[in-house]
Amino acid sequence: MSQAPEAGRGATVTPMRVVIALCLIAPFVAMLWVGSYAKTDPAFIGIPFFYWYQMAWVLISTALTMVAYKLWQRDQRARSAAKGGASE
């Protein structure tokens, strides 16, 4: 009934993939940990910390997602080259 998994089909955990995961998880952790930013000081140009912290994470999340995407592309090209296939 059960078949043995093929050698190349399993998920491989590499340092690059760990960095990708951290880049994608960091914004969630930062926003779900409300106690870390549920305050009004320090204000930035009159905007309470609670609001500008969240707006800053919009930009940080964008940058981290771009980094994760570029790392993923690099990882896929390296895996494709290691298998001897042509990369896109």
Side-chain angles (χ1 to χ4, degrees):
M1 290 200 108
S2 65
Q3 296 176 347
E6 294 180 19
R9 294 196 52 118
T12 306
V13 178
T14 62
M16 187 177 300
R17 288 184 178 191
V18 171
V19 171
I20 291 168
L22 290 175
C23 285
L24 296 175
I25 291 172
F28 290 104
V29 172
M31 291 293 96
L32 290 175
W33 186 20
V34 178
S36 69
Y37 63 92
K39 52 190 169 187
T40 57
D41 289 329
F44 177 68
I45 60 171
I47 301 171
F49 181 74
F50 181 80
Y51 295 112
W52 70 257
Y53 179 82
Q54 291 180 46
M55 288 294 111
W57 269 102
V58 170
L59 301 174
I60 294 167
S61 297
T62 302
L64 289 174
T65 303
M66 288 174 31
V67 167
Y69 178 70
K70 292 299 182 182
L71 289 174
W72 180 257
Q73 284 182 324
R74 180 183 294 175
D75 183 58
Q76 293 303 306
R77 282 193 303 265
R79 288 174 57 98
S80 178
K83 289 182 180 179
S87 63
E88 294 181 41

